[in-house]
C-alpha cells in the first residue's frame, strides 16, 4: 500500500565509519508517533542503550519532518530535531522554521539520523535519498550565515537548503543552536552535539514531488484555511507586530522577566521603547513569513549605521523571547541594541533565551558580590548593552568569563553560588514567561520533558483561546487552583506535542487552526481518518517516550521543581500570586498521566 504524507524512509549516517544506509519505517510506527518530534523520540528510544553521553560520539541527532510537511499546507515548513541535551543531560529537542523540511521530504526522506564523529570537520550533502560526507575544513570558524552562503556559492546552487552551526557550536557551548538564514533551532544545545561530531552543516537538495491522498480536496481546503488564518484578529496582529506584540501586556500582568525574574514589572515608558508596536514604527522593514505562512510573524528589520551597527543592517529582527530576555530582563530599552544582540546570537549560534538568562544571572551575582563587578574590562551591571554584546562573543568563543557562562545557569550557579536565583528547570533556562502570572505555566514548566519550556502553551486558554474539541473554554481565572487546571495542562501539552510531530508552527493555533482542521488536513494528506481522541492518545504516547528517556537519565518527581525565584513574590509588584499549588498538583498530574507516585513511566505502548 502506498504511503501518502510520509515517505517511509529514514537515512542513517555514521560519521565515524563513513557508512550510510536507509531503513524503512512501517505504517504502524507512524500510527503511533506521527513524525517530527514523535519520530525523533521513537528513534532515540530505540537506540537509547547505545548512547553514552550528550557529547559522546554515541549520541545521535534526528532531523525529522512530519506528515503535514508540505509546501502547500500553511505553517508546515518546520523540522524537528531530537537528541540528548548537553545542557540538561536529558531529552533535548528543538524546532526550526525552514524550507529545509520540504527539501528533506523531496529528497525521499522522512528523517535523517546522524551518529558517530568525523575525524575532521565535515558536512553532509543529501540528494535523492543518498548522503555524501564531505570536508568542511574551509567552513570551520565561519558564522552560520557565512556558512550557508559559502556552501551555496561553492556548490554553485542557490536552491540547496542548509542547516549549520556557528562558532558557539564548534566550541561546544551548551546552549548553542542549529540554524540557517530563515530560522533558529534554539533550545537545549543541539549545536554543541553537532560540534562534538565535527559536523558543520547538513545540505539537502530535493527533486521529488510530495504526494497526497486527496490532492484536489487538500488544495481547496488549504485555500480557505489560508484566508481564515491570515484574516483572523490574532493572525493580523502577529503580522503587524510580531510576537513582540505581547511585550506590553505581559509587562502589565507580570508575565515578563525583569532583573533575572526578580521584579514583576518594569517602567512602562522604558518597556514601550521595545514593544512590537514601537518596532513597527521604527526599524521594521516588512513582516517576514516562513514558506506557506499566511501570518508572517517574523520581523525583517532595517537599522541605520550608528552606535550598534557600523553599516546598515537588514535582516531578521528580535522576537518576543529575545526582546524580553535581553530587554526587560537586563533593563535594556534600546531596540537597536537588542537587534544587534539578536544578530550576534543568530550568526554565532547562541540560544537567545539561555544567553539572556545566563547574563542576567551573572549581573545579579555581581550585584550580590559573588563575582567582581569589574572583570576582563567589562562592568557587569544592569542596563549595560555594551557589556552584553561583548559577553555574547565571549560566550560563543569560550573566552575568559565566557567559558564559564557557556555552561549555562545551572552549572555557573553550582560553581560560584547563587542557586537561589538560578532560574531554570532541570538545567534549561526559563523562557520569557512567569509561573506567577499563569499557574498553568508553572505546572507545565516542571512537567515538559526538556525542562523549562513555554511551548506546551498551557496558558493559551487564559489568553482567550478556546479549544472546544478538547472541552477547553476561554478563561480569565489564571490563578485557579482546582484540579481542572491539571487536565487542561495535560491536554494542551498533548496537543502541542502533536503540533511538533506534524510538524506545524504553533502560531497556526494562535491564528485559529482548530483540531478539526488538523484532522481534515491529515485525511486529505495521508488518507487516514483521525479523531480527537486518537490525536490525544498519540500526544500522550510521545510525552511518555520522552519521559521514559528522562527517567532512564535519572529524572523522577524530585526533579519536577520550580526554581526558588518562581516561588518568591515579585520584589516590586504588590499582590503577586505564587504557584505553591504546583506541589499539590503534581501527584494528580502523575496519576492522570499513568505514572508512579515518583513520576516514573510504568509502561510504554511502542
Amino acid at each position: 500500500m502506498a504511503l501518502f504524507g510520509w515517505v517511509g524512509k529514514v537515512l542513517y549516517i555514521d560519521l565515524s565509519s563513513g557508512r550510510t544506509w536507509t531503513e524503512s519505517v512501517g505504517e504502524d510506527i507512524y500510527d503511533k508517533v506521527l513524525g517530527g518530534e514523535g519520530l525523533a523520540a521513537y528513534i532515540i528510544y530505540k537506540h537509547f542503550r547505545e548512547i553514552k553521553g550528550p557529547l559522546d560520539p554515541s549520541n545521535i541527532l534526528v532531523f525529522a519532518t512530519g506528515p503535514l510537511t508540505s509546501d502547500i499546507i500553511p505553517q508546515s515548513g518546520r523540522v524537528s530535531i531530537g537528541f540528548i541535551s548537553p545542557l540538561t543531560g536529558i531529552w533535548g529537542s528543538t524546532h526550526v522554521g525552514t524550507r529545509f523540511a520540504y527539501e528533506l521530504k523531496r529528497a525521499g526522506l522522512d528523517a535523517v539520523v546522524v551518529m558517530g564523529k568525523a575525524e575532521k570537520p565535515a558536512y553532509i550533502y543529501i540528494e535523492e535519498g543518498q548522503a555524501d560526507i564531505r570536508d568542511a575544513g574551509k567552513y570551520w570558524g565561519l558564522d552560520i550565515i557565512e556558512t550557508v552562503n559559502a556552501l551555496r556559492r561553492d556548490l554553485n546552487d542557490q536552491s540547496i537548503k542548509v542547516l549549520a552551526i556557528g562558532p558557539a557550536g564548534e566550541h561546544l557551548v551548551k546552549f548553542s543552536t542549529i540554524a540557517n538564514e530563515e530560522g533558529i533551532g534554539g533550545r537545549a544545545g543541539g549545536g554543541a552535539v553537532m560540534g562534538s561530531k565535527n559536523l558543520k552543516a547538513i545540505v539537502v537538495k530535493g527533486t521529488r514531488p510530495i504526494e497526497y491522498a486527496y490532492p484536489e480536496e487538500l488544495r481547496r481546503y488549504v485555500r480557505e484555511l489560508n484566508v481564515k488564518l491570515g484574516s483572523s484578529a490574532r493572525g493580523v496582529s502577529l503580522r503587524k507586530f510580531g510576537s513582540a506584540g505581547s511585550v506590553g501586556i505581559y509587562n502589565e500582568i507580570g508575565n515578563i522577566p525583569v532583573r533575572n525574574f526578580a521584579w514583576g514589572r518594569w517602567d512602562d515608558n522604558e518597556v514601550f521603547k521595545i514593544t512590537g508596536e514601537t518596532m513597527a514604527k521604527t526599524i521594521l522593514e516588512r513582516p517576514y513569513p516562513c514558506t506557506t505562512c499566511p501570518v508572517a510573524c517574523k520581523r525583517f528589520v532595517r537599522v541605520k549605521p550608528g552606535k550598534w551597527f557600523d553599516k546598515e543592517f537588514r535582516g531578521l529582527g528580535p522576537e518576543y523571547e529575545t526582546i524580553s530576555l535581553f530587554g526587560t530582563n537586563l533593563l535594556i530599552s534600546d531596540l537597536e541594541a537588542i537587534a544587534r544582540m539578536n544578530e550576534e546570537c543568530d550568526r554565532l549560534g547562541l540560544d537567545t533565551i539561555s544567553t539572556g538568562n545566563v547574563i542576567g544571572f551573572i549581573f545579579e551575582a555581581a550585584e550580590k558580590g559573588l563575582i567582581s563587578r569589574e572583570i576582563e574590562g567589562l562592568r557587569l551591571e544592569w542596563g549595560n548593552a555594551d557589556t552584553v554584546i561583548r559577553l555574547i562573543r565571549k560566550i560563543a568563543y569560550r573566552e575568559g568569563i565566557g567559558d564559564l557562562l557557556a555552561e549555562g545557569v545551572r552549572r555557573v550557579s553550582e560553581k560560584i553560588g547563587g542557586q537561589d536565583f538560578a532560574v531554570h528547570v532541570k538545567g534549561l533556562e526559563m523562557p520569557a514567561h512567569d509561573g506567577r502570572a499563569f499557574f498553568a505555566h508553572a505546572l507545565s514548566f516542571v512537567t515538559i520533558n526538556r525542562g523549562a519550556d513555554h511551548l506546551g502553551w498551557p496558558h493559551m486558554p487564559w489568553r482567550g483561546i478556546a479549544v472546544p474539541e478538547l472541552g477547553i473554554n476561554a478563561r480569565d481565572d489564571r490563578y485557579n487552583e482546582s484540579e481542572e487546571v491539571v487536565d487542561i495542562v495535560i491536554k494542551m501539552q498533548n496537543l502541542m506535542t502533536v503540533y511538533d510531530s506534524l510538524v506545524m508552527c504553533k502560531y497556526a493555533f494562535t491564528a485559529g487552526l482548530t483540531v478539526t482542521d488538523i484532522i481534515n488536513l491529515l485525511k486529505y494528506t495521508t488518507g487516514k481518518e483521525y479523531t480527537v481522541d486518537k490525536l490525544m492518545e498519540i500526544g500522550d504516547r510521545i510525552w511518555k517516550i520522552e519521559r521514559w528517556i528522562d527517567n532512564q537519565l535519572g529524572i523522577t518527581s524530585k526533579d519536577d521543581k520550580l526554581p526558588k525565584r518562581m516561588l518568591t513574590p515579585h520584589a516590586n509588584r504588590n499582590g503577586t500570586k505564587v504557584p505553591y499549588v504546583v506541589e499539590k498538583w503534581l501527584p494528580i498530574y502523575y496519576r492522570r498521566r499513568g505514572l508512579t507516585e515518583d513520576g516514573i513511566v510504568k509502561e510504554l505502548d511502542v
Side-chain angles (χ1 to χ4, degrees):
M1 180 179 175
L3 278 176
F4 297 101
W6 301 278
V7 180
K9 300 290 183 182
V10 174
L11 176 65
Y12 285 77
I13 302 164
D14 187 338
L15 294 171
S16 296
S17 66
R19 178 175 171 243
T20 69
W21 68 98
T22 302
E23 294 185 3
S24 297
V25 181
E27 283 189 70
D28 59 325
I29 301 304
Y30 294 119
D31 284 344
K32 288 181 179 292
V33 298
L34 282 178
E37 180 167 321
L39 182 58
Y42 173 77
I43 291 170
I44 289 174
Y45 161 76
K46 296 294 286 186
H47 290 271
F48 179 77
R49 300 301 180 192
E50 304 161 17
I51 299 173
K52 299 180 177 65
L55 296 180
D56 188 89
S58 59
N59 197 6
I60 64 176
L61 282 159
V62 184
F63 298 79
T65 67
L68 296 188
T69 301
S70 160
D71 53 4
I72 68 170
I73 295 177
Q75 294 169 284
S76 68
R78 299 184 70 77
V79 63
S80 286
I81 309 172
F83 47 91
I84 302 301
S85 167
L87 179 64
T88 64
I90 58 175
W91 165 258
S93 63
T94 194
H95 315 280
V96 190
T98 172
R99 295 166 179 83
F100 183 98
Y102 303 141
E103 293 300 302
L104 193 59
K105 187 171 277 190
R106 286 202 190 98
L109 300 167
D110 287 324
V112 173
V113 180
V114 182
M115 52 184 58
K117 179 180 180 178
E119 289 186 6
K120 57 184 180 180
Y123 76 93
I124 296 168
Y125 184 90
I126 298 170
E127 187 174 6
E128 292 300 318
Q130 302 296 314
D132 187 22
I133 302 170
R134 301 180 179 181
D135 179 65
K138 67 183 293 186
Y139 309 115
W140 205 255
L142 298 183
D143 71 34
I144 288 171
I145 305 304
E146 290 170 340
T147 301
V148 171
N149 291 339
L151 282 164
R152 286 177 175 154
R153 181 182 63 247
D154 293 348
L155 294 169
N156 193 29
D157 190 345
Q158 293 299 308
S159 71
I160 61 169
K161 305 305 174 190
V162 183
L163 285 175
I165 61 172
E170 296 171 7
H171 288 84
L172 308 185
V173 175
K174 294 298 199 306
F175 45 89
S176 50
T177 65
I178 301 171
N180 59 23
E181 80 285 8
E182 298 175 295
I184 313 294
R187 307 245 63 196
V193 181
M194 277 185 67
S196 73
K197 296 180 177 299
N198 278 331
L199 179 61
K200 181 64 175 178
I202 299 181
V203 177
V204 62
K205 183 177 178 67
T207 58
R208 305 179 187 183
I210 298 173
E211 298 185 352
Y212 316 103
Y214 304 105
E216 292 308 314
E217 291 88 341
L218 177 63
R219 288 186 173 88
R220 282 198 296 270
Y221 195 82
V222 163
R223 281 196 291 270
E224 296 177 4
L225 194 57
N226 276 322
V227 173
K228 180 175 81 168
L229 300 180
S231 62
S232 70
R234 292 179 185 273
V236 170
S237 178
L238 280 167
R239 185 162 56 253
K240 289 175 64 177
F241 306 123
S243 58
S246 297
V247 168
I249 184 61
Y250 280 168
N251 182 57
E252 288 182 20
I253 68 173
N255 189 50
I256 202 166
V258 186
R259 283 184 67 113
N260 195 31
F261 291 87
W263 289 2
R265 187 166 188 163
W266 194 24
D267 180 88
D268 289 350
N269 293 323
E270 297 301 310
V271 172
F272 179 74
K273 297 175 184 176
I274 55 175
T275 61
E277 291 83 351
T278 297
M279 190 189 307
K281 295 175 182 176
T282 55
I283 64 173
L284 180 67
E285 182 171 309
R286 67 177 188 274
Y288 182 90
C290 296
T291 303
T292 75
C293 177
V295 173
C297 73
K298 292 181 180 178
R299 309 288 85 184
F300 193 88
V301 302
R302 182 197 298 261
V303 182
K304 296 177 181 179
K307 181 176 182 180
W308 305 114
F309 291 94
D310 293 335
K311 57 183 180 180
E312 182 180 72
F313 168 68
R314 297 177 70 244
L316 291 180
E319 300 180 27
Y320 168 76
E321 301 289 330
T322 304
I323 285 177
S324 301
L325 268 308
F326 283 126
T328 57
N329 188 51
L330 305 181
L331 303 190
I332 293 171
S333 59
D334 186 327
L335 191 55
E336 294 187 1
I338 296 171
R340 170 66 185 277
M341 296 166 195
N342 184 70
E343 175 69 358
E344 289 284 329
C345 287
D346 286 357
R347 282 183 169 268
L348 296 172
L350 290 172
D351 174 20
T352 58
I353 294 176
S354 289
T355 304
N357 266 282
V358 78
I359 292 175
F361 175 84
I362 206 68
F363 279 2
E364 184 165 353
E367 184 178 52
K368 286 181 163 59
L370 298 179
I371 191 170
S372 174
R373 284 182 178 271
E374 303 285 345
I375 188 167
E376 299 167 16
L378 303 175
R379 183 163 179 81
L380 305 179
E381 62 183 357
W382 306 108
N384 193 326
D386 290 289
T387 287
V388 173
I389 291 169
R390 292 175 64 188
L391 281 173
I392 287 170
R393 297 195 69 83
K394 282 179 173 288
I395 292 168
Y397 290 97
R398 283 187 174 268
E399 296 173 347
I401 190 176
D403 188 46
L404 171 65
L405 301 185
E407 294 294 304
V409 165
R410 179 170 66 182
R411 290 184 178 91
V412 176
S413 69
E414 290 170 350
K415 185 164 185 178
I416 70 170
Q419 288 167 304
D420 284 354
F421 55 90
V423 189
H424 67 86
V425 175
K426 300 182 180 76
L428 186 66
E429 288 81 11
M430 193 67 64
H433 299 267
D434 198 315
R436 291 164 291 188
F438 295 97
F439 281 6
H441 249 327
L443 177 61
S444 192
F445 283 150
V446 301
T447 54
I448 289 268
N449 289 308
R450 66 178 182 175
D453 183 353
H454 63 296
L455 290 176
W457 277 21
H459 67 307
M460 282 300 170
W462 285 271
R463 289 295 314 275
I465 301 179
V467 192
E469 298 100 329
L470 301 185
I472 299 174
N473 299 319
R475 313 173 66 97
D476 59 7
D477 55 341
R478 56 196 174 102
Y479 304 126
N480 188 319
E481 298 190 15
S482 71
E483 290 185 17
E484 66 177 329
V485 177
V486 178
D487 292 323
I488 291 172
V489 168
I490 290 173
K491 289 176 181 178
M492 289 302 298
Q493 288 178 344
N494 287 347
L495 179 59
M496 292 303 116
T497 298
V498 167
Y499 266 80
D500 288 333
S501 302
L502 289 172
V503 183
M504 290 193 76
C505 175
K506 291 167 185 175
Y507 279 131
F509 170 82
T510 305
L513 189 78
T514 66
V515 180
T516 301
D517 288 328
I518 290 173
I519 290 170
N520 289 332
L521 289 171
L522 282 167
K523 177 182 178 179
Y524 298 139
T525 301
T526 70
K528 292 179 175 289
E529 299 282 351
Y530 286 84
T531 64
V532 173
D533 288 345
K534 177 71 172 177
L535 290 177
M536 290 298 98
E537 176 188 312
I538 291 171
D540 182 70
R541 179 182 296 113
I542 296 166
W543 184 92
K544 282 192 171 76
I545 295 172
E546 296 172 2
R547 180 71 180 195
W548 181 90
I549 291 169
D550 282 357
N551 288 158
Q552 305 310 302
L553 293 167
I555 295 298
T556 67
S557 58
K558 72 181 187 309
D559 304 290
D560 297 336
K561 305 294 183 186
L562 287 167
K564 185 173 181 179
R565 176 140 289 170
M566 206 62 65
L567 292 170
T568 305
H570 289 116
N572 71 335
R573 188 182 187 95
N574 294 327
T576 295
K577 305 290 185 181
V578 178
Y580 299 117
V581 68
V582 167
E583 188 173 351
K584 181 188 79 173
W585 278 338
L586 277 171
I588 302 166
Y589 182 95
Y590 298 152
R591 287 197 299 273
R592 303 277 166 84
R593 283 287 194 189
L595 309 183
T596 70
E597 62 182 15
D598 294 324
I600 295 172
V601 175
K602 296 178 183 178
E603 57 183 356
L604 284 176
D605 175 26
V606 290

